[in-house]
Amino acid sequence: MDIVWKILWGIIGISLLVTIHEFGHYWVARKLGFKVLRFSVGFGKPLWKRVGRAPDHIEYVVASVPLGGYVRMLDERDGDVPLADKPRAFTSKPPWQRILVLLAGPAANIIFAIAVLAAMFWYKGITQIKPVMGDITLGKPAAEAGLRSRDVILGVNGTPVTDLGELQFKLLGAVSGDGPVTLRVASDSGAERDVVLPLSDPQQRFELTKPNKLLSGLGIEFWIPPKPPKVLEVTEGGPAYRGGIRANDIVLAIDGIAMRDWRDVSKYVRERPEKEMVVRVRRGAEELSHRVTAARVKDAGEEIGRLEFKGEGSSLKDYPARYVTKYSPGPFESIGAGATKAWEMTMAQATFFWRMITLRISSDNLTSLITIADYAGQSASAGPASYLTLLVLLSLSLGFFNLLPIPILDGGQIVFQAAEWIRGKPLSERVYVLGQQAGLVAIMLLMGVALFNDLSTYLFPGAGK
């Protein structure tokens, strides 16, 4: 049922975002007087259809394949157009109006992302957790540069950093760039200094851009407040249950190694698939030891150990006040914050995509619908806020991707319309056909790489590594 759940939430998310995208095209086209023939959510055979009012009788369709959609407008390139309708055909409209219609789809996705971000900021406030260093791995770049546990990173290459998530974007940008990676840090006492990560080898920097390699490759772990690892839930029949571990147990040690918090437990167990371990727990006033053998499972292509129990980790309230900044913006300030965040995320996408094309960021980061469905299911399980955050990311990605100058995408069509506007006459049919064919090849290549990455990750761990 887990895979069904993930697919369901993936379809819901993609269908919603595609509908928003196509509604942008539809709404602007109608406002500018284009004749719209059909608004379809999905492709293939119609499952539901409604015909709109006269004079246009627009068909509103929900089709059988829910992974897409389209708005079909009257177009002379598709065949003969009645003389009375010719002024409303797509090709009869001025190029600037066609460009506005094409821009409206990506714009709708960006506006949706801003609206969701603004609503979340207004409802929940904006919380930032300072990036405090936890364990630093010896022999890795962070240790060689002189980073120490409990250092707080204040900036990357001169750009201020105020939040954990922001730091990871800034680090990826700096590592995938050409220059040095300089961190401004403050020690626990407040003294500030600069450290330079020793990353002179281009291949080493490229390897760090692969999925889940940046922080571990640099030897960085973020500090989290230590909290006794309490077991909240144990899967009946799973390894932990069979070994005698029960809800409300406090994990004290595994194989004699003290467990400071739930992250220690998770990390230790993950690294030991099918290994027997001795888990010492506190249950009420007594301490008990249990022999437990971890199951071997696949997680994003990696084979890991799992005891099939859930625990209580540190939460926001456990952080010292000096490491947390929280404020509650008003409605207008929330819109501004949402727009700023959407702009920063979109610019980061553009930068990282260009660096992927120029082979400075690994193409392993390209993912297909398989990973999207996986993330959608996980985020939906984590709660509404997590799922909405994923929708924001996907919506901005959909908007950005469609603006790429690839002929079968909105961006490529905008290039065609702009060229016609500059020339003062339509491009030849041959140019359109060649452009569409080249665009289809480019899209198929991108999709092929993304699908290969996902299959390598989920079905064939180790492939392409």
Side-chain angles (χ1 to χ4, degrees), residues 7 50-51 72 77 83 105 121 125 148 150 193 202 208 277 319 345 369 387 454:
I7 292 172
R50 177 178 173 272
V51 178
R72 183 184 171 198
R77 292 171 296 185
L83 188 61
F121 291 158
R148 297 188 290 269
R150 300 303 286 270
R193 69 188 190 280
L208 289 172
M277 55 194 77
Y319 279 84
M345 294 166 73
L369 294 175
Y387 189 65
D454 283 351

Side-chain angles (χ1 to χ4, degrees), residues 139-463:
K140 296 281 189 174
E144 293 175 12
L147 270 177
R148 297 188 290 269
S149 179
R150 300 303 286 270
D151 279 345
V152 179
I153 297 183
L154 305 176
V156 178
N157 286 349
T159 303
V161 171
T162 58
D163 184 67
L164 279 172
E166 181 185 23
L167 170 63
Q168 295 184 67
F169 273 107
K170 292 287 195 304
L171 274 177
L172 180 58
V175 167
S176 61
D178 296 321
V181 181
T182 303
L183 307 180
R184 185 69 174 175
V185 303
S187 67
D188 202 31
S189 66
E192 296 186 12
R193 69 188 190 280
D194 286 330
V195 300
V196 180
L197 298 177
L199 298 172
S200 57
D201 181 6
Q203 183 59 36
Q204 179 191 20
R205 296 175 80 133
F206 181 78
E207 290 296 319
L208 289 172
T209 69
K210 291 185 176 182
N212 304 316
K213 296 296 184 183
L214 180 63
L215 296 179
S216 61
L218 292 174
I220 289 174
E221 259 190 16
F222 294 123
W223 179 82
I224 59 175
K227 184 175 183 177
K230 180 180 180 181
V231 178
L232 296 181
E233 181 183 331
V234 183
T235 302
E236 189 169 349
Y241 188 90
R242 293 195 305 270
I245 297 173
R246 296 294 181 263
N248 297 317
D249 285 351
I250 304 294
V251 180
L252 302 176
I254 303 180
D255 293 337
I257 301 173
M259 297 288 114
R260 298 167 299 178
D261 50 44
W262 195 257
R263 185 167 65 178
D264 281 355
V265 175
S266 178
K267 183 178 179 181
Y268 192 89
V269 173
R270 283 177 64 93
E271 294 172 351
R272 290 161 176 79
E274 296 183 347
K275 300 293 185 182
E276 184 182 77
M277 55 194 77
V278 178
V279 181
R280 185 160 57 90
V281 303
R282 179 184 295 119
R283 183 176 301 167
E286 61 179 336
E287 293 187 8
L288 306 170
S289 292
H290 303 280
R291 290 191 174 274
V292 183
T293 300
R296 181 184 294 271
V297 299
K298 290 181 181 177
D299 179 41
E302 181 184 4
E303 294 197 344
I304 64 169
R306 183 169 289 170
L307 294 183
E308 296 185 18
F309 59 179
K310 295 180 181 179
E312 182 180 34
S314 299
S315 62
L316 185 62
K317 68 179 184 297
D318 298 312
Y319 279 84
R322 69 182 185 276
Y323 291 152
V324 180
T325 303
K326 184 172 182 177
Y327 67 99
S328 301
F332 293 108
E333 190 180 358
S334 295
I335 294 172
T340 299
K341 190 68 175 178
W343 171 257
E344 290 174 350
M345 294 166 73
T346 302
M347 289 301 98
Q349 286 185 82
T351 299
F352 296 154
F353 186 80
W354 174 248
R355 289 181 180 177
M356 196 180 301
I357 296 297
T358 55
L359 304 181
R360 286 188 288 171
I361 286 183
S362 172
S363 61
D364 290 353
N365 293 284
L366 279 176
T367 56
S368 74
L369 294 175
I370 296 174
T371 292
I372 292 174
D374 189 15
Y375 287 162
Q378 293 180 34
S379 61
S381 298
S386 180
Y387 189 65
L388 286 173
T389 300
L390 177 66
L391 289 184
V392 166
L393 293 171
L394 292 178
S395 193
L396 291 173
S397 296
L398 183 60
F400 167 74
F401 184 72
N402 270 279
L403 287 174
L404 294 177
I406 298 175
I408 64 173
L409 300 177
D410 296 329
Q413 294 300 313
I414 289 170
V415 171
F416 283 150
Q417 307 310 319
E420 180 178 330
W421 196 0
I422 293 169
R423 294 177 76 239
K425 60 180 180 179
L427 300 174
S428 69
E429 187 68 24
R430 177 174 173 78
V431 169
Y432 274 105
V433 171
L434 289 176
Q436 297 284 5
Q437 292 173 343
L440 184 60
V441 170
I443 292 296
M444 293 300 292
L445 285 173
L446 287 173
M447 291 176 63
V449 172
L451 186 59
F452 173 78
N453 289 340
D454 283 351
L455 291 176
S456 298
T457 298
Y458 291 98
L459 301 181
F460 311 113

